[in-house]
Amino acid sequence: MGARKQVDAPPAEFAEAVTQLRGARFRPEVFVEEMPAPQRIAPHAAAVSADVTVDGDDLATGRLVILYDPDGNDAWQSTFRCVAYVRAAVEPEMVTDALLGGVGWTWLMEALADRGADFQAPSGTVTRVVSESFGGMADDDATAEIEIRASWSPVPGPGGLVDVTRHAEAWGEVLCTAAGLPPVPPGVVAMPTRRGQRGR
C-alpha cells in the first residue's frame, strides 16, 4: 500500500503549485472554490472557479486551471501553463465598441504585470456576446457579456520555482475589473477569501 501511495504522489513542483493556488488572496467580493480539473490536457492539473458577488448580484464568473507536465510542452515553452476564463455582463452599447476586445486583453496583461507575475507565450480570445429577446420575451431588455479566454506560461523565479499565487491573484483582479469594481487603493490588502461562505 505504501508503494502505491509513492507512485500516485504528485511531483513536488506541482504539489507546491497547488498549495500556492489554495493560498492566493482575493477581494472579499470574490467567492472561490476548488473544482474538478480537466484530466486529458496534461499529466497533472488543478482548478478553481470563482464568482464576483456584490449585494447578492453575481457580476462576473470564471475559472482558472493550472496544468503541469514534468516533461515540458513545446507549445507552452514551459512545464506549467495557466488557463483562465472570465465572463461578465456589460452594457449592451459597449459591445459595439470595436476597442472592447483589446481592452479586455489589456486587463489581463496589466493584472499580470501589476502582480509581478512573469509570463511568456500568452494566447487567448476576447468575445463579445449580445442576447436579444423576441416573441413572448420581447419585453425583456437586451443583455451583453464579455468573455475572456486566455492561457500563458508562468516564468520560474529564483530557484527555478513558479509563483502560482501571483498568477492566481492576477486572474482574480481581472474578474473584479470585468465586474466593474473599482480598483483597491494602493496599500490596501485584500482579505483571504472565505471559501464555502456565500452571502457575507
Side-chain angles (χ1 to χ4, degrees), residues 147-162:
E147 294 184 350
I148 303 169
R149 300 175 185 270
S151 63
W152 65 92
S153 299
V155 174
L161 297 178
V162 168

PDB file of all heavy atoms in Angstrom, residues 147-162:
ATOM      1  N   GLU A 147     -16.432  37.827 -22.716  1.00  0.00           N
ATOM      2  CA  GLU A 147     -15.793  36.584 -22.299  1.00  0.00           C
ATOM      3  C   GLU A 147     -14.313  36.638 -22.663  1.00  0.00           C
ATOM      4  O   GLU A 147     -13.961  36.940 -23.806  1.00  0.00           O
ATOM      5  CB  GLU A 147     -16.436  35.367 -22.969  1.00  0.00           C
ATOM      6  CG  GLU A 147     -17.872  35.107 -22.563  1.00  0.00           C
ATOM      7  CD  GLU A 147     -18.430  33.840 -23.183  1.00  0.00           C
ATOM      8  OE1 GLU A 147     -17.759  33.272 -24.083  1.00  0.00           O
ATOM      9  OE2 GLU A 147     -19.521  33.417 -22.789  1.00  0.00           O
ATOM     10  N   ILE A 148     -13.490  36.372 -21.695  1.00  0.00           N
ATOM     11  CA  ILE A 148     -12.040  36.346 -21.907  1.00  0.00           C
ATOM     12  C   ILE A 148     -11.565  34.922 -21.676  1.00  0.00           C
ATOM     13  O   ILE A 148     -11.787  34.347 -20.603  1.00  0.00           O
ATOM     14  CB  ILE A 148     -11.311  37.302 -20.940  1.00  0.00           C
ATOM     15  CG1 ILE A 148     -11.844  38.730 -21.083  1.00  0.00           C
ATOM     16  CG2 ILE A 148      -9.801  37.261 -21.178  1.00  0.00           C
ATOM     17  CD1 ILE A 148     -11.363  39.676 -20.000  1.00  0.00           C
ATOM     18  N   ARG A 149     -10.947  34.350 -22.704  1.00  0.00           N
ATOM     19  CA  ARG A 149     -10.337  33.023 -22.600  1.00  0.00           C
ATOM     20  C   ARG A 149      -8.860  33.190 -22.908  1.00  0.00           C
ATOM     21  O   ARG A 149      -8.507  33.700 -23.984  1.00  0.00           O
ATOM     22  CB  ARG A 149     -10.989  32.043 -23.578  1.00  0.00           C
ATOM     23  CG  ARG A 149     -12.488  31.847 -23.356  1.00  0.00           C
ATOM     24  CD  ARG A 149     -13.103  30.964 -24.428  1.00  0.00           C
ATOM     25  NE  ARG A 149     -14.541  30.879 -24.294  1.00  0.00           N
ATOM     26  CZ  ARG A 149     -15.199  29.969 -23.564  1.00  0.00           C
ATOM     27  NH1 ARG A 149     -14.483  29.052 -22.902  1.00  0.00           N
ATOM     28  NH2 ARG A 149     -16.510  29.965 -23.492  1.00  0.00           N
ATOM     29  N   ALA A 150      -8.019  32.791 -21.976  1.00  0.00           N
ATOM     30  CA  ALA A 150      -6.587  33.052 -22.155  1.00  0.00           C
ATOM     31  C   ALA A 150      -5.753  31.956 -21.525  1.00  0.00           C
ATOM     32  O   ALA A 150      -6.202  31.249 -20.617  1.00  0.00           O
ATOM     33  CB  ALA A 150      -6.221  34.399 -21.528  1.00  0.00           C
ATOM     34  N   SER A 151      -4.538  31.825 -22.023  1.00  0.00           N
ATOM     35  CA  SER A 151      -3.568  30.926 -21.406  1.00  0.00           C
ATOM     36  C   SER A 151      -2.194  31.557 -21.516  1.00  0.00           C
ATOM     37  O   SER A 151      -1.932  32.343 -22.434  1.00  0.00           O
ATOM     38  CB  SER A 151      -3.594  29.545 -22.062  1.00  0.00           C
ATOM     39  OG  SER A 151      -3.208  29.625 -23.422  1.00  0.00           O
ATOM     40  N   TRP A 152      -1.335  31.223 -20.573  1.00  0.00           N
ATOM     41  CA  TRP A 152       0.027  31.748 -20.560  1.00  0.00           C
ATOM     42  C   TRP A 152       0.890  30.833 -19.706  1.00  0.00           C
ATOM     43  O   TRP A 152       0.386  30.039 -18.905  1.00  0.00           O
ATOM     44  CB  TRP A 152       0.047  33.187 -20.025  1.00  0.00           C
ATOM     45  CG  TRP A 152      -0.374  33.306 -18.590  1.00  0.00           C
ATOM     46  CD1 TRP A 152       0.421  33.276 -17.468  1.00  0.00           C
ATOM     47  CD2 TRP A 152      -1.727  33.464 -18.088  1.00  0.00           C
ATOM     48  NE1 TRP A 152      -0.338  33.408 -16.317  1.00  0.00           N
ATOM     49  CE2 TRP A 152      -1.647  33.523 -16.665  1.00  0.00           C
ATOM     50  CE3 TRP A 152      -2.972  33.564 -18.710  1.00  0.00           C
ATOM     51  CZ2 TRP A 152      -2.779  33.682 -15.885  1.00  0.00           C
ATOM     52  CZ3 TRP A 152      -4.105  33.706 -17.910  1.00  0.00           C
ATOM     53  CH2 TRP A 152      -3.998  33.770 -16.511  1.00  0.00           C
ATOM     54  N   SER A 153       2.182  30.943 -19.885  1.00  0.00           N
ATOM     55  CA  SER A 153       3.122  30.095 -19.138  1.00  0.00           C
ATOM     56  C   SER A 153       3.855  30.925 -18.091  1.00  0.00           C
ATOM     57  O   SER A 153       4.555  31.880 -18.440  1.00  0.00           O
ATOM     58  CB  SER A 153       4.142  29.455 -20.085  1.00  0.00           C
ATOM     59  OG  SER A 153       3.482  28.643 -21.038  1.00  0.00           O
ATOM     60  N   PRO A 154       3.698  30.590 -16.817  1.00  0.00           N
ATOM     61  CA  PRO A 154       4.447  31.306 -15.778  1.00  0.00           C
ATOM     62  C   PRO A 154       5.950  31.099 -15.954  1.00  0.00           C
ATOM     63  O   PRO A 154       6.395  30.004 -16.292  1.00  0.00           O
ATOM     64  CB  PRO A 154       3.955  30.650 -14.478  1.00  0.00           C
ATOM     65  CG  PRO A 154       2.677  29.980 -14.827  1.00  0.00           C
ATOM     66  CD  PRO A 154       2.814  29.565 -16.250  1.00  0.00           C
ATOM     67  N   VAL A 155       6.712  32.151 -15.735  1.00  0.00           N
ATOM     68  CA  VAL A 155       8.168  32.066 -15.814  1.00  0.00           C
ATOM     69  C   VAL A 155       8.713  31.803 -14.420  1.00  0.00           C
ATOM     70  O   VAL A 155       8.381  32.533 -13.480  1.00  0.00           O
ATOM     71  CB  VAL A 155       8.764  33.370 -16.388  1.00  0.00           C
ATOM     72  CG1 VAL A 155      10.284  33.330 -16.323  1.00  0.00           C
ATOM     73  CG2 VAL A 155       8.295  33.577 -17.826  1.00  0.00           C
ATOM     74  N   PRO A 156       9.525  30.771 -14.244  1.00  0.00           N
ATOM     75  CA  PRO A 156      10.078  30.473 -12.924  1.00  0.00           C
ATOM     76  C   PRO A 156      10.915  31.636 -12.393  1.00  0.00           C
ATOM     77  O   PRO A 156      11.579  32.347 -13.140  1.00  0.00           O
ATOM     78  CB  PRO A 156      10.950  29.238 -13.171  1.00  0.00           C
ATOM     79  CG  PRO A 156      10.404  28.627 -14.421  1.00  0.00           C
ATOM     80  CD  PRO A 156       9.935  29.777 -15.251  1.00  0.00           C
ATOM     81  N   GLY A 157      10.860  31.817 -11.104  1.00  0.00           N
ATOM     82  CA  GLY A 157      11.653  32.849 -10.457  1.00  0.00           C
ATOM     83  C   GLY A 157      12.960  32.295  -9.943  1.00  0.00           C
ATOM     84  O   GLY A 157      13.405  31.218 -10.386  1.00  0.00           O
ATOM     85  N   PRO A 158      13.588  32.985  -9.001  1.00  0.00           N
ATOM     86  CA  PRO A 158      14.834  32.497  -8.411  1.00  0.00           C
ATOM     87  C   PRO A 158      14.656  31.094  -7.832  1.00  0.00           C
ATOM     88  O   PRO A 158      13.647  30.802  -7.193  1.00  0.00           O
ATOM     89  CB  PRO A 158      15.124  33.522  -7.302  1.00  0.00           C
ATOM     90  CG  PRO A 158      14.419  34.759  -7.754  1.00  0.00           C
ATOM     91  CD  PRO A 158      13.175  34.287  -8.455  1.00  0.00           C
ATOM     92  N   GLY A 159      15.604  30.243  -8.083  1.00  0.00           N
ATOM     93  CA  GLY A 159      15.498  28.874  -7.597  1.00  0.00           C
ATOM     94  C   GLY A 159      14.726  27.965  -8.521  1.00  0.00           C
ATOM     95  O   GLY A 159      14.541  26.786  -8.238  1.00  0.00           O
ATOM     96  N   GLY A 160      14.227  28.537  -9.638  1.00  0.00           N
ATOM     97  CA  GLY A 160      13.506  27.733 -10.613  1.00  0.00           C
ATOM     98  C   GLY A 160      12.079  27.410 -10.248  1.00  0.00           C
ATOM     99  O   GLY A 160      11.444  26.566 -10.894  1.00  0.00           O
ATOM    100  N   LEU A 161      11.528  28.072  -9.218  1.00  0.00           N
ATOM    101  CA  LEU A 161      10.163  27.796  -8.790  1.00  0.00           C
ATOM    102  C   LEU A 161       9.179  28.785  -9.423  1.00  0.00           C
ATOM    103  O   LEU A 161       9.484  29.964  -9.601  1.00  0.00           O
ATOM    104  CB  LEU A 161      10.056  27.871  -7.269  1.00  0.00           C
ATOM    105  CG  LEU A 161      10.881  26.843  -6.486  1.00  0.00           C
ATOM    106  CD1 LEU A 161      10.721  27.074  -4.988  1.00  0.00           C
ATOM    107  CD2 LEU A 161      10.479  25.428  -6.856  1.00  0.00           C
ATOM    108  N   VAL A 162       7.994  28.280  -9.741  1.00  0.00           N
ATOM    109  CA  VAL A 162       6.927  29.109 -10.292  1.00  0.00           C
ATOM    110  C   VAL A 162       6.061  29.623  -9.147  1.00  0.00           C
ATOM    111  O   VAL A 162       5.654  28.853  -8.273  1.00  0.00           O
ATOM    112  CB  VAL A 162       6.065  28.297 -11.286  1.00  0.00           C
ATOM    113  CG1 VAL A 162       4.801  29.056 -11.637  1.00  0.00           C
ATOM    114  CG2 VAL A 162       6.858  27.973 -12.540  1.00  0.00           C
TER     115      VAL A 162
END
